Amino acid sequence: MSEEFDVPDELGFTPAVPDASTDRDDAAPRRPKRRRPGLRRRIAATAVIVGALATMGGAYTLFAGSSGASDSNTPAEMAAKGRQLYETSCITCHGANLQGVPGRGVPLLGVGGAAVYFQVSTGRMPATGQAAEMTRKPAKFDDQQIRELAAFVQSMGGGIDIPTGTLRATTDLGKGGDLFRLNCASCHGMTFKGAPLSAGKAAPSLNEATDLQIYTAMLTGPENMPVFSNNQITPQEKREIVGYIQTIKASQDPGGHGIDRIGPVSEAIVIWVAGVGAIMIIILWIGAKTE
Ligand code: HEC
Ligand code: HEC
């Protein structure tokens, strides 16, 4: 007797399992037996939906939190974190006080957050050496870190900061096209492929550039590109140029080059659609199993 009791107790079993099989299967009428899987199925399906929605919500929060400016960080906190990144990755060429280092790097006082965003997000900075021309490379820092570096440089010398709000206007593509032909096409080409310039330099392709990179390129005029100040090209005209470039690019490239090309909002939609699809499959599977 005592042995029989000890063994299931140690294993964490309760004697309910053999009891239920003998009692309920024989004694209980048929109706409750049919209802139970239905109820269980409904509870399981609800649990799966709640679980999946929670997971998707979590994934979306993570995703949304990793891009864009963070609300939880004040400019001073951002700048303090940016200083640390600067001291490990930029100081050897640009100097402890952003004064520049002769033969290595130009002064960064007053270049502003927009220039840092453009240079670091396109992988031009941190430079690896004295290349004649800085070219686009995969970025070394994520979006948050780039904004921290920008906040630090901005806090030290001021200048043009990273633009916020809507950067793309698509209501008047004709106007955007005219502005592009007038101001950009001579160097970047009508199809955004880029073109050689004098002295062995070249204007790069615009195919990889994001809205913010196009906008900050215009604001800061990297290397041989002229600066297009807000007096020359108003913010609204800049948005129209961005809208034109991005819309024509999208129409030239209907197959797509992976979801990194279509931007955060579309990526969120892709995650959402995939999540709903997964829920449908799980519900169908539970249904098939319990029938
Ligand atoms: C190996 C040296 C080197 C390192 C490291 C380096 N830079 Fe530079 N940086 C340069 C040089 C050289 C230029 C000028 C490039 C040019 O003429 O196009 C430059 C230009 C820039 C500019 C453009 C300045 C302007 O007037 O528009 C910015 C912004 C910048 N760097 C930021 C950074 C940041 C931020 C880091 C660290 C993440 C960094 N750089 C690391 C060498 C360096
Ligand atoms: C005089 C020639 C010239 C003109 C005009 C010009 N650019 Fe540029 N642009 C350049 C050069 C050169 C670079 C590369 C700078 C570098 O590597 O530091 C560049 C870089 C860029 C980039 C970065 C591309 C990437 O993916 O790295 C963008 C975006 C851009 N230009 C947009 C524009 C827009 C928009 C206009 C018109 C408003 C324009 N440019 C007008 C010469 C020009």
Side-chain angles (χ1 to χ4, degrees):
M1 262 296 269
S2 68
E3 270 187 337
E4 267 184 286
F5 239 96
D6 282 354
V7 174
D9 218 70
E10 266 175 0
L11 293 172
F13 290 127
T14 62
V17 176
D19 283 351
S21 68
T22 48
D23 275 12
R24 286 181 194 166
D25 276 11
D26 297 343
R30 290 223 152 172
R31 270 193 183 168
K33 208 187 168 189
R34 257 193 208 163
R35 247 189 220 168
R36 274 165 57 216
L39 182 66
R40 207 190 301 148
R41 194 198 307 175
R42 245 175 286 148
I43 292 171
T46 310
V48 166
I49 290 170
V50 170
L53 285 175
T55 311
M56 280 158 57
Y60 180 78
T61 313
L62 256 183
F63 174 78
S66 68
S67 67
S70 166
D71 295 337
S72 60
N73 288 326
T74 67
E77 286 167 348
M78 298 269 290
K81 288 181 190 160
R83 176 188 288 275
Q84 289 173 4
L85 297 171
Y86 180 89
E87 284 175 354
T88 50
S89 301
C90 322
I91 200 166
T92 51
C93 295
H94 291 291
N97 298 307
L98 283 64
Q99 77 279 23
V101 176
R104 286 206 189 159
V106 294
L108 295 184
L109 282 169
V111 303
V116 174
Y117 186 89
F118 175 82
Q119 296 288 340
V120 183
S121 75
T122 62
R124 287 176 167 83
M125 291 292 140
T128 44
Q130 291 305 113
E133 194 170 12
M134 311 293 175
T135 51
R136 191 181 176 103
K137 291 182 279 295
K140 287 255 165 59
F141 298 94
D142 66 26
D143 196 74
Q144 179 67 21
Q145 291 171 319
I146 295 168
R147 288 171 186 276
E148 287 163 4
L149 278 164
F152 170 64
V153 172
Q154 187 76 32
S155 75
M156 294 287 284
I160 299 172
D161 208 349
I162 301 174
T164 55
T166 313
L167 301 178
R168 186 193 293 200
T170 48
T171 42
D172 196 347
L173 289 181
K175 188 148 173 264
D178 287 345
L179 289 163
F180 181 83
R181 273 184 288 278
L182 196 64
N183 296 290
C184 324
S186 58
C187 291
H188 292 287
M190 271 316 293
T191 55
F192 319 132
K193 282 208 184 79
L197 302 174
S198 57
K201 308 232 168 183
S205 150
L206 301 181
N207 282 331
E208 303 297 319
T210 65
D211 291 12
L212 187 49
Q213 287 166 355
I214 297 170
Y215 203 105
T216 51
M218 289 188 274
L219 282 177
T220 64
E223 214 184 44
N224 285 13
M225 177 168 157
V227 174
F228 295 95
S229 73
N230 285 345
N231 296 330
Q232 263 171 289
I233 297 184
T234 66
Q236 177 58 21
E237 289 171 336
K238 286 189 172 73
R239 288 191 281 271
E240 280 158 355
I241 292 174
V242 172
Y244 173 77
I245 295 171
Q246 302 298 51
T247 305
I248 301 299
K249 262 160 60 177
S251 69
Q252 284 171 346
D253 184 22
H257 279 66
I259 60 172
D260 58 316
R261 279 286 290 277
I262 56 179
V265 173
S266 308
E267 279 176 38
I269 292 169
V270 169
I271 290 170
W272 195 84
V273 169
V276 170
I279 292 174
M280 302 292 277
I281 290 166
I282 292 166
I283 289 172
L284 288 174
W285 176 74
I286 290 169
K289 241 195 122 189
T290 50
E291 257 166 63

